[in-house]
Amino acid sequence: MPHIATEMKKRSLILVTVDCLRADHVGFLGYPRPVTPNLDALAANSIVFSNAIVAGAPTYFSFPAILASRYPLALGRDVLGIAPNEPTLASALHEAGYATAAFLAGNPYLGRRFGYDQGFDSFQDFLTGGTLGEPASSDLAPQSGLSKLNRLIEAGSRRNPLSANAYDELYFWYCQWMSARQDIPMDKLRRYPAANVIVDQAQSWLSGLGDQPFFLWLHLMDPHHPYYPPAEALAALGLPRITARRARFLNSFWNRGDIGPQRLQRHRKEILSLYDAGVYWVDKQISRLVEALQPLQRWDETVLAVTADHGEAFLEHGDRYHSPTSLPEYLIRVPLLLRAPELSGRRLLEEPFSLIHLAPTLLEAVGVAAPDSFQGRSSWAQISAGTLPGGPVITECVDGCCNPIRPEDRLRPRLMAMREREFKLVINFREGRDYLYDLKNDPAETSPLPPGDHMRERGRLFQAARMHLQRTSDKHKTDLRLRALLRDLQQSGKMTAATQASRSVDEGRRASVRLM
Ligand SMILES: [Zn+2]
């Protein structure tokens, strides 16, 4: 009898990453405000991770693990992004015959410049050269002659702290008064495309696909500051009183650098409402995407993963946004939901799961082999059976590196967290100190355990840190590192093509001592 090769139909994959989405702000992980009704419904037949932990934070330290299953500092702390030709989730699927597309809502650290387009047939990052964050006060500053006068007054006020404070206060309210005179709608205030724009693009790409298996990556920025959710999302959450004008005031207030957490607390609740409305909008648009797959008959063969690159701070320890100056739970613990067509019922996995394992796990879920360079391992077989191994997971970043474009920012000391279900050790190399937290009894990490306490746990987590440092400074990565450095040198545009290669080799040699 002749052998008839029957190839199993390949499954498609959608990865949705949501910038700044905290694990404790989604309904399927217990948030009481109804911000994620659609994801909650999906979670009823999915694998849900209550302790998914990013491998680095923020964006630029998180994504190398999500896309390339590689720890962010494994190529040296001066390398940013994905190295040229570094294997990724996208490149593995592309080589396996998948149509691949990425639609990213304009995060400057996820652009072509940092290699994130590799492996995608279609890559749209919506970058218009803008920066993240709140407009500087100067956007609202007095004009022309008044501006000169203002500078003189400011210089005078800086001579003593009391008059400096008074100046800051007056200046803030002056800017508010100026901005209140302009009526700018929420959609104009937003710094990046809202999730509906990204989903529209994805839908139109999907509709032209035919029946080829596909990989689609969406990065949504709605919960990222400045917080300007669509008015429809605010209305749906019963918050119609937060108008565009009010949101503009709240964002300016929240961004003040001249006042402390105590005064910022005054508007924390409203800021959280704006953030939650962003999450609501993301949820609604993911549901639109799922609905679009149904008539195309693709939903029944699609694996969907929804997660985040890091969380967000709302004054828990006095801080805002997501600077890597510490690695608290609200920054490193993110939602993770995995939906596969054959799953029924909700499976809740409570052991820590590192996003370093996400890419190989997703590849196994669709039946494609993971590249050898991946540092994570697939957990698909285990998680489909409802279990996870319990070992510590590791998050690393460069302490206080808020502007990774500046090389000197990236060369600061390392910050690491080793996270088990109950204990978490944070090592701050700059301070030369470590902090052990008992997450079971102190989930908000209000006070580290006294030094000398819990030596067994401390020893175990230190050992995990040591092994991690040894493993991730693996010499096999040197080639990727040199390629990434060469790209950075080329992009710096300061050298002629003839000098680039020799400089990069020198740079590489010198830099290999900085791998730790
Ligand atoms: Zn981010």
Side-chain angles (χ1 to χ4, degrees), residues 18-21 58-60 62-63 107 109-110 132 219-221 224 308-312 322:
V18 186
D19 220 294
C20 304
L21 181 54
T59 312
Y60 36 92
S62 183
F63 268 98
N107 187 314
Y109 301 117
L110 299 179
L132 291 179
H219 184 69
L220 308 177
M221 295 281 284
H224 194 289
D309 57 346
H310 52 82
E312 185 80 332
H322 44 264

Side-chain angles (χ1 to χ4, degrees), residues 38 47 88 115 130 150 158 215 219 226 230 232 234 269 289 293-294 305 309 362 403 456 478 483:
N38 297 297
I47 306 169
T88 64
N150 173 48
R158 295 287 172 221
F215 169 49
H219 184 69
E232 189 187 328
L234 286 163
K269 219 174 129 193
L289 180 69
L293 287 165
Q294 283 159 350
D309 57 346
L362 294 178
N403 181 0
R456 206 148 54 106
T478 310
R483 273 188 256 154

Side-chain angles (χ1 to χ4, degrees), residues 5 12 98 123 209 474 477:
S12 292
Y98 280 61
F123 184 86
L209 262 189
D474 185 341
K477 297 278 180 195

Side-chain angles (χ1 to χ4, degrees), residues 392-406:
V393 299
I394 289 168
T395 306
E396 64 178 15
C397 66
V398 173
D399 183 25
C401 174
C402 297
N403 181 0
I405 308 294
R406 290 170 36 157

